[in-house]
Coordinates of all heavy atoms in Angstrom, one line a residue:
Chain U
A994 N 22.8 9.6 21.9 CA 22.2 8.8 23.1 C 20.6 8.7 22.8 O 20.1 7.6 22.9 CB 22.3 9.6 24.3
L995 N 20.1 9.8 22.2 CA 18.7 9.7 22.0 C 18.4 8.7 20.9 O 17.5 7.9 21.0 CB 18.3 11.2 21.4 CG 16.7 11.4 21.2 CD1 16.0 11.4 22.4 CD2 16.6 12.7 20.4
L996 N 19.1 8.7 19.6 CA 18.8 7.8 18.6 C 19.0 6.2 19.1 O 18.3 5.4 18.9 CB 19.7 7.9 17.5 CG 19.6 9.2 16.8 CD1 20.5 9.4 15.6 CD2 18.1 9.4 16.2
F997 N 20.2 6.1 19.9 CA 20.4 4.8 20.5 C 19.2 4.3 21.4 O 18.6 3.2 21.3 CB 21.7 4.8 21.3 CG 22.1 3.4 21.7 CD1 22.5 2.4 20.9 CD2 22.1 3.1 23.2 CE1 22.9 1.2 21.3 CE2 22.4 1.9 23.5 CZ 22.7 0.9 22.6
G998 N 18.7 5.3 22.2 CA 17.6 4.9 23.1 C 16.4 4.7 22.3 O 15.7 3.8 22.5
L999 N 16.2 5.5 21.2 CA 15.0 5.2 20.3 C 15.0 3.7 19.7 O 14.0 3.2 19.4 CB 14.9 6.3 19.1 CG 14.6 7.7 19.5 CD1 14.5 8.5 18.3 CD2 13.4 7.7 20.4
S1000 N 16.2 3.4 19.3 CA 16.3 2.1 18.7 C 15.9 1.0 19.7 O 15.2 0.2 19.3 CB 17.8 1.9 18.2 OG 18.2 0.5 18.4
L1001 N 16.4 1.2 20.9 CA 16.0 0.1 22.0 C 14.5 0.1 22.1 O 13.7 -0.9 22.3 CB 16.7 0.4 23.2 CG 18.2 0.2 23.3 CD1 18.8 0.6 24.6 CD2 18.7 -1.1 22.8
L1002 N 13.8 1.5 22.2 CA 12.4 1.5 22.4 C 11.8 0.8 21.2 O 10.7 0.2 21.4 CB 12.0 3.0 22.6 CG 12.3 3.8 23.8 CD1 12.0 5.2 23.7 CD2 11.6 3.1 24.9
G1003 N 12.2 1.2 20.0 CA 11.6 0.7 18.8 C 11.5 -0.9 18.8 O 10.5 -1.5 18.5
R1004 N 12.7 -1.5 19.2 CA 12.7 -2.9 19.3 C 11.8 -3.5 20.2 O 11.0 -4.5 19.9 CB 14.1 -3.4 19.9 CG 15.1 -3.4 18.7 CD 16.4 -4.3 19.1 NE 15.9 -5.7 19.2 CZ 16.8 -6.7 19.4 NH1 18.1 -6.3 19.5 NH2 16.5 -7.9 19.4
L1005 N 11.6 -2.8 21.3 CA 10.6 -3.3 22.4 C 9.1 -3.2 21.8 O 8.4 -4.1 21.9 CB 10.6 -2.2 23.6 CG 10.0 -2.7 24.8 CD1 10.8 -3.8 25.4 CD2 10.0 -1.7 25.8
A1006 N 8.9 -2.0 21.1 CA 7.5 -1.9 20.5 C 7.3 -3.0 19.5 O 6.2 -3.6 19.5 CB 7.4 -0.5 19.8
I1007 N 8.2 -3.2 18.6 CA 8.1 -4.1 17.5 C 7.9 -5.6 18.1 O 7.1 -6.3 17.6 CB 9.2 -4.2 16.5 CG1 9.1 -2.7 15.8 CG2 9.1 -5.4 15.6 CD1 10.3 -2.3 15.0
K1008 N 8.5 -5.9 19.2 CA 8.4 -7.1 19.8 C 7.0 -7.4 20.2 O 6.5 -8.5 20.1 CB 9.3 -7.2 21.1 CG 9.5 -8.6 21.6 CD 10.6 -8.6 22.8 CE 10.4 -9.8 23.5 NZ 11.1 -9.8 24.8
Y1009 N 6.2 -6.3 20.7 CA 5.0 -6.6 21.1 C 4.0 -6.2 20.0 O 2.8 -5.9 20.3 CB 4.7 -5.7 22.5 CG 5.4 -6.3 23.6 CD1 6.6 -5.8 24.0 CD2 5.0 -7.7 24.2 CE1 7.3 -6.4 25.1 CE2 5.7 -8.1 25.2 CZ 6.9 -7.6 25.6 OH 7.5 -8.1 26.6
G1010 N 4.5 -6.1 18.7 CA 3.6 -5.9 17.6 C 3.0 -4.5 17.7 O 1.9 -4.2 17.1
Q1011 N 3.6 -3.5 18.2 CA 3.1 -2.2 18.3 C 3.9 -1.2 17.4 O 5.1 -1.6 16.9 CB 3.2 -1.6 19.6 CG 2.2 -2.2 20.6 CD 0.8 -1.5 20.5 OE1 0.7 -0.5 20.0 NE2 -0.2 -2.2 20.6
S1012 N 3.3 -0.2 17.0 CA 4.0 0.9 16.2 C 5.0 1.6 17.1 O 4.6 1.9 18.3 CB 3.1 1.9 15.6 OG 3.7 3.0 15.4
P1013 N 6.2 1.8 16.7 CA 7.2 2.5 17.6 C 6.9 4.0 17.9 O 7.4 4.7 18.8 CB 8.6 2.3 17.0 CG 8.2 2.0 15.5 CD 6.8 1.5 15.5
I1014 N 6.0 4.6 17.0 CA 5.7 6.0 17.1 C 5.3 6.5 18.5 O 5.9 7.6 19.0 CB 4.7 6.4 16.0 CG1 5.2 6.1 14.6 CG2 4.2 7.9 16.2 CD1 4.3 6.4 13.6
P1015 N 4.4 5.9 19.3 CA 4.1 6.4 20.5 C 5.2 6.6 21.5 O 5.5 7.4 22.2 CB 3.0 5.4 21.0 CG 2.6 4.7 19.9 CD 3.6 4.7 18.8
L1016 N 6.2 5.5 21.3 CA 7.3 5.5 22.2 C 8.3 6.6 21.9 O 8.9 7.4 22.8 CB 8.1 4.1 22.2 CG 7.3 3.1 22.9 CD1 8.0 1.7 22.7 CD2 7.1 3.3 24.4
Y1017 N 8.3 6.9 20.5 CA 9.2 8.1 20.1 C 8.8 9.3 20.7 O 9.5 10.2 21.2 CB 9.2 8.2 18.6 CG 9.9 7.1 17.8 CD1 9.7 7.0 16.4 CD2 10.8 6.0 18.5 CE1 10.2 5.9 15.6 CE2 11.3 5.1 17.8 CZ 11.1 4.9 16.4 OH 11.7 3.8 15.8
M1018 N 7.5 9.4 20.7 CA 6.9 10.7 21.1 C 7.0 10.8 22.7 O 7.3 11.9 23.3 CB 5.4 10.8 20.7 CG 5.0 12.1 20.4 SD 3.8 12.4 19.2 CE 2.4 12.2 20.3
T1019 N 6.7 9.7 23.4 CA 6.9 9.7 24.8 C 8.3 9.9 25.2 O 8.7 10.8 26.1 CB 6.6 8.3 25.3 OG1 5.3 7.8 24.7 CG2 6.3 8.4 26.9
A1020 N 9.3 9.6 24.3 CA 10.8 9.9 24.6 C 10.9 11.3 24.6 O 11.6 12.0 25.3 CB 11.6 9.1 23.6
G1021 N 10.3 12.0 23.5 CA 10.4 13.5 23.4 C 9.8 14.1 24.6 O 10.4 15.1 25.1
L1022 N 8.7 13.6 25.1 CA 8.0 14.3 26.3 C 9.0 14.2 27.5 O 9.2 15.2 28.2 CB 6.9 13.6 26.7 CG 5.6 13.8 25.9 CD1 4.5 12.8 26.2 CD2 5.2 15.1 26.0
V1023 N 9.8 13.1 27.6 CA 10.7 12.9 28.8 C 11.8 13.9 28.6 O 12.3 14.4 29.7 CB 11.2 11.4 28.7 CG1 12.3 11.4 29.9 CG2 10.1 10.5 29.0
F1024 N 12.3 14.1 27.6 CA 13.5 14.9 27.3 C 13.3 16.4 27.0 O 14.1 17.2 26.9 CB 14.5 14.4 26.2 CG 15.0 13.1 26.6 CD1 14.6 11.9 25.7 CD2 15.9 12.9 27.6 CE1 15.2 10.8 26.0 CE2 16.4 11.7 27.7 CZ 16.1 10.4 27.1
G1025 N 12.0 16.8 26.9 CA 11.6 18.1 26.6 C 11.7 19.1 27.7 O 12.0 18.8 28.9
S1026 N 11.2 20.2 27.4 CA 11.2 21.3 28.4 C 10.2 20.9 29.3 O 9.0 20.6 29.0 CB 10.7 22.6 27.8 OG 9.7 22.5 27.0
G1027 N 10.4 20.9 30.7 CA 9.4 20.5 31.7 C 9.5 19.0 31.8 O 8.7 18.4 32.8
G1028 N 10.3 18.2 31.1 CA 10.4 16.7 31.1 C 11.4 16.4 32.2 O 11.9 17.2 32.9
L1029 N 11.7 15.0 32.3 CA 12.7 14.7 33.3 C 14.1 15.2 33.0 O 14.8 15.4 34.0 CB 12.6 13.0 33.4 CG 11.3 12.5 34.0 CD1 11.5 10.9 33.8 CD2 11.1 12.9 35.3
L1030 N 14.5 14.9 31.7 CA 16.0 15.3 31.3 C 16.0 16.1 30.3 O 16.2 15.7 29.1 CB 16.5 14.0 31.0 CG 17.2 13.0 32.2 CD1 17.5 11.6 31.4 CD2 18.4 13.7 32.6
P1031 N 15.8 17.5 30.5 CA 15.7 18.4 29.2 C 17.0 18.3 28.5 O 18.2 18.3 29.0 CB 15.5 19.7 29.9 CG 15.3 19.6 31.2 CD 15.7 18.3 31.6
L1032 N 16.8 18.3 27.2 CA 18.1 18.4 26.3 C 18.4 19.8 26.0 O 17.5 20.8 26.1 CB 17.8 17.7 24.9 CG 17.5 16.2 24.9 CD1 17.2 15.8 23.5 CD2 18.8 15.4 25.5
H1033 N 19.5 20.2 25.9 CA 20.0 21.5 25.5 C 20.6 21.7 24.1 O 20.2 22.5 23.3 CB 20.8 22.1 26.5 CG 20.3 22.1 27.8 ND1 19.2 23.1 28.2 CD2 20.3 21.5 29.0 CE1 18.7 22.9 29.3 NE2 19.4 21.9 30.0
A1034 N 21.8 21.1 24.1 CA 22.7 21.4 22.9 C 22.0 20.9 21.5 O 22.4 21.5 20.3 CB 24.1 20.8 23.0
S1035 N 21.1 20.0 21.6 CA 20.7 19.4 20.3 C 19.4 20.0 19.8 O 19.0 19.5 18.9 CB 20.8 17.9 20.6 OG 19.8 17.5 21.6

Side-chain angles (χ1 to χ4, degrees):
Chain U
L995 185 69
L996 293 180
F997 185 68
L999 291 184
S1000 141
L1001 295 180
L1002 285 174
R1004 277 197 68 172
L1005 197 69
I1007 289 163
K1008 193 176 161 195
Y1009 292 101
Q1011 282 284 328
S1012 157
I1014 294 173
L1016 288 176
Y1017 293 165
M1018 214 149 91
T1019 315
L1022 287 170
V1023 172
F1024 295 115
S1026 54
L1029 292 174
L1030 273 171
L1032 297 175
H1033 297 292
S1035 54

